[in-house]
Amino acid sequence: MNNDQFSTTGKPKSRSPTRIAISGVFFFALGLTIGMIFCLNHKTLFFNLQINDIFFRREVLLESEQLSPPPLPIGKNSTPTRPVKYGAPPLVIRTDMELLWRASVAAESEESKNPDKPKLAFMFLTKGNLSLAPLWEKFFKGNEGLYSIYVHYDPHFNGTVPEDSVFYGRRIRSKKVEWGKISMVEAEKRLLANALLDYSNQRFILLSESCIPLYNFSTIYTYIMNSTLNFVEVFDDPSYVGRGRYNTEMGPTIELDQWRKGSQWFTIDRRLAGQVISDEDYFPLFSRFCMGDCYSDEHYLPTLVYMKYGASNTNRTLTLVDWSQGGPHPMAYSSSSITASVLEEMRGAGTPCRYNDFERNDICVLFARKFDEDSLVGLLDLEPRFMQFNR
């Protein structure tokens, strides 16, 4: 026991008023400090929760899988990975949530309304190597400044691209895509979002590694840029591979008579591209209820466009795909089937067709698929006489 606490009579010592006052001030200050820290932390936590809530819905694309390897180095001809004059974001966007958010801002920017040189955004969705790249190289040559390229590879693809190629540095951050699954639509949104970050991109074309152009660049550029409408194939299929894929859980937001089908290969304008990446009404329903044999890539965009943007759509695609053989996959073209007459027949497909406010009998499709790797030699041989990329 500490004897300093007691007087010589054995009674406790009385504290002076000054010591009592100092002690009171000390404990008051301590309590005030603890309270302020608690309130500050609580406010910060509440703010963070609000932010997370705001952006959580834009995180729909993120999957429960490991992050893909970082993108390849960006080439010297690359588009900046952020909107011009938009804050000071990181130079590398690492999550789909951040990408979609920034792209939605860029989509509505005033600077994107009237660019000096409007560009076509060519978006390639591929598993691996772009085997027809030499043909596309000739197609793009001499048209620099009028196009942008974006490639969504499989995240495990380790192939390289020559530095002098138009495809060099055009790889975007990607995730695994499964045929017929919602991940296919996620990849399309990822491509659109990356392309929207460039204010000059005014039209957006989805292609695969097996697609080819049927005309030269100037013809395709003029046709698409002069169009006042979008090119998304939309139709009502009453069969089991159409309406039969509808899930009643999608109602009442999407009813059976609103369910549509179409090709996934689209060409759309900047306004519709911005609406697609910002969609929070229909995409979550497809993520939850379009599974198994539903094939989201054949129904999501056609249904969305039909329900909200039908007046600005032609209901047709610019990419020819031959389904005449039946089955789950279209006809594939190899070296033995590549002739001038075959390509000429492809050019005439779909005629006549609606173009703006009139009918066209000459050009209704601009691209075609599905061409095997070994068809490249035949295509390169026919190009000077048929496609005439140098004109």
Side-chain angles (χ1 to χ4, degrees), residues 8 24 119 136 165 179 206 242 286 323 327 357 368:
T8 56
K119 296 192 293 187
W136 284 101
S165 169
W179 180 74
L206 182 67
F286 276 83
W323 292 97
D357 295 325

Side-chain angles (χ1 to χ4, degrees), residues 247-261:
N247 188 330
T248 56
E249 294 290 339
M250 292 186 171
T253 304
I254 303 174
E255 299 290 359
L256 177 60
D257 62 353
Q258 298 170 317
W259 182 255
R260 290 298 182 268
K261 185 178 180 180

Side-chain angles (χ1 to χ4, degrees), residues 45-290:
L45 175 61
F46 179 73
F47 178 77
N48 287 337
L49 288 175
Q50 281 188 313
I51 293 298
N52 288 337
D53 181 66
I54 291 172
F55 294 133
F56 175 75
R57 287 172 294 174
R58 296 195 183 280
E59 189 66 31
V60 174
L61 294 185
L62 291 180
E63 302 167 350
S64 56
E65 64 179 30
Q66 294 181 346
L67 290 176
S68 61
L72 294 180
I74 301 299
K76 59 185 178 181
N77 61 338
S78 299
T79 301
T81 58
R82 59 174 175 171
V84 180
K85 299 181 182 178
Y86 180 65
L91 294 178
V92 178
I93 297 175
R94 297 194 178 278
T95 68
D96 284 345
M97 179 182 70
E98 184 179 356
L99 173 64
L100 291 176
W101 177 66
R102 294 179 186 278
S104 66
V105 173
E108 300 176 0
S109 170
E110 287 297 322
E111 295 179 63
S112 68
K113 299 296 176 60
N114 295 296
D116 294 334
K117 286 187 177 181
K119 296 192 293 187
L120 297 177
F122 290 82
M123 307 179 301
F124 291 85
L125 181 58
T126 176
K127 290 182 178 179
N129 186 45
L130 291 170
S131 56
L132 301 179
L135 183 70
W136 284 101
E137 296 272 4
K138 299 189 72 172
F139 170 79
F140 288 118
K141 186 176 180 180
N143 297 287
E144 292 74 16
L146 297 176
Y147 67 86
S148 298
I149 298 173
Y150 304 86
V151 186
H152 188 293
Y153 291 98
D154 182 280
H156 301 295
F157 175 67
N158 294 320
T160 59
V161 179
E163 291 191 19
D164 60 350
S165 169
V166 295
F167 294 100
Y168 178 76
R170 307 315 304 154
R171 182 176 188 167
I172 69 168
R173 180 182 180 274
S174 63
K175 291 188 178 181
K176 184 176 177 59
V177 175
E178 295 183 72
W179 180 74
K181 301 293 181 65
I182 194 65
S183 57
M184 185 77 76
V185 179
E186 293 170 350
E188 294 172 8
K189 283 177 172 268
R190 208 171 286 124
L191 280 162
L192 282 172
N194 275 276
L196 280 166
L197 295 180
D198 185 337
Y199 292 145
S200 297
N201 289 332
Q202 298 296 304
R203 299 292 190 274
F204 304 80
I205 308 162
L206 182 67
L207 301 162
S208 75
E209 74 275 18
S210 65
C211 288
I212 67 165
L214 293 174
Y215 297 90
N216 59 30
F217 185 91
S218 61
T219 300
I220 290 177
Y221 182 90
T222 302
Y223 190 98
I224 295 176
M225 282 299 183
N226 287 344
S227 173
T228 59
L229 300 171
N230 294 292
F231 298 93
V232 179
E233 187 178 45
V234 177
F235 62 92
D236 182 12
D237 183 353
S239 73
Y240 73 96
V241 293
R243 289 197 177 197
R245 295 172 178 173
Y246 173 76
N247 188 330
T248 56
E249 294 290 339
M250 292 186 171
T253 304
I254 303 174
E255 299 290 359
L256 177 60
D257 62 353
Q258 298 170 317
W259 182 255
R260 290 298 182 268
K261 185 178 180 180
S263 170
Q264 75 175 110
W265 312 108
F266 58 76
T267 300
I268 61 179
D269 61 23
R270 189 172 184 89
R271 176 179 176 273
L272 181 53
Q275 296 298 323
V276 171
I277 66 158
S278 302
D279 169 39
E280 295 176 349
D281 297 323
Y282 303 94
F283 182 75
L285 292 176
F286 276 83
S287 299
R288 294 178 61 190
F289 303 119
C290 186

